[in-house]
Amino acid sequence: MIKLTGVSKVYGRGQAAVQALKDVTLEIKRNEFVAVMGPSGSGKSTFLSILGCLERPNGGEYCFDGRQVSSMSEDELAVLRNRRIGFIFQTFNLLPRFNILRNVELPLAYTDVPRKERRERAAALLTRVGLAHRLQHKPPELSGGEQQRVAIARALVTNPPLILADEPTGNLDSRTSHEIMAIFRELHKEGRTIIIVTHEPDIARYAGRILHFLDGTVVREEVTVQ
């Protein structure tokens, strides 16, 4: 699904330039569950942003499902992000003025899915993550774990084959973190490709492969025992 060849990313110019990624070459197969670890500033989040087509690399090639991302227009990238990739963030990124049903259905507003079906799909996903009784509640009325469940439902509403999660358990207690990771494990079993960034070794162990980043490059790969 994903192939990176010599991918680099530099922010700034001259003496202020910071190399976030340096000559990253790797492949991620369809239906892999991959965790990305490393100290702050090691390039993890930049790596995820490039995979999610939120940023373009300065050098190298990124192929998604056989297509070179660098050759895509901004409109093509927007469609790819909306329909093929689900994003989950540490800070949830929910809209506080909308109820959670509306939050989850929002990505479908940019598709040709009828409004009734959008609502039904959003409600079904919220039911799946255990929030059927909270559909009319707004994000500030929910716990951190509940908000992350909403974020997972929102990421799934377009039925994307790839899920990218940046520190999805970073703001959660231990028990809630493992409940969230159990949902990721179910999604992986259903055939989705999942890539998570985490600082927590016990969370990374849910993945089948761990990529260890340091100074903008992959210095070690680890296969876990499931």
Side-chain angles (χ1 to χ4, degrees), residues 191-209:
R192 286 184 173 83
T193 305
I194 299 176
I195 304 171
I196 66 167
V197 165
T198 182
H199 281 99
E200 304 166 85
D202 59 329
I203 296 301
R205 290 278 162 193
Y206 279 86
R209 179 161 61 125

Side-chain angles (χ1 to χ4, degrees), residues 45-119:
S45 292
T46 300
F47 173 69
L48 209 67
S49 292
I50 287 175
L51 294 188
C53 302
L54 298 173
E55 298 187 60
R56 294 181 186 262
N58 299 115
E61 293 183 352
Y62 170 27
C63 289
F64 183 94
D65 267 351
R67 288 194 63 189
Q68 283 197 25
V69 172
S70 60
S71 67
M72 294 184 185
S73 67
E74 291 301 323
D75 287 344
E76 288 175 320
L77 288 174
V79 171
L80 177 64
R81 287 191 296 265
N82 180 253
R83 301 184 182 180
R84 305 282 291 162
I85 305 171
F87 297 92
I88 300 168
F89 303 96
Q90 178 179 357
T91 53
F92 317 133
N93 286 8
L94 303 175
L95 297 177
R97 67 184 184 278
F98 293 148
N99 64 35
I100 65 172
L101 186 64
R102 177 67 173 146
N103 266 276
V104 171
E105 72 168 297
L106 270 176
L108 294 175
Y110 306 100
T111 70
D112 56 3
V113 178
R115 183 174 181 180
K116 183 174 183 291
E117 184 180 339
R118 296 202 304 260
R119 287 291 175 95

Side-chain angles (χ1 to χ4, degrees), residues 10-19:
V10 178
Y11 296 104
R13 297 181 178 179
Q15 292 184 343
V18 175
Q19 184 144 27

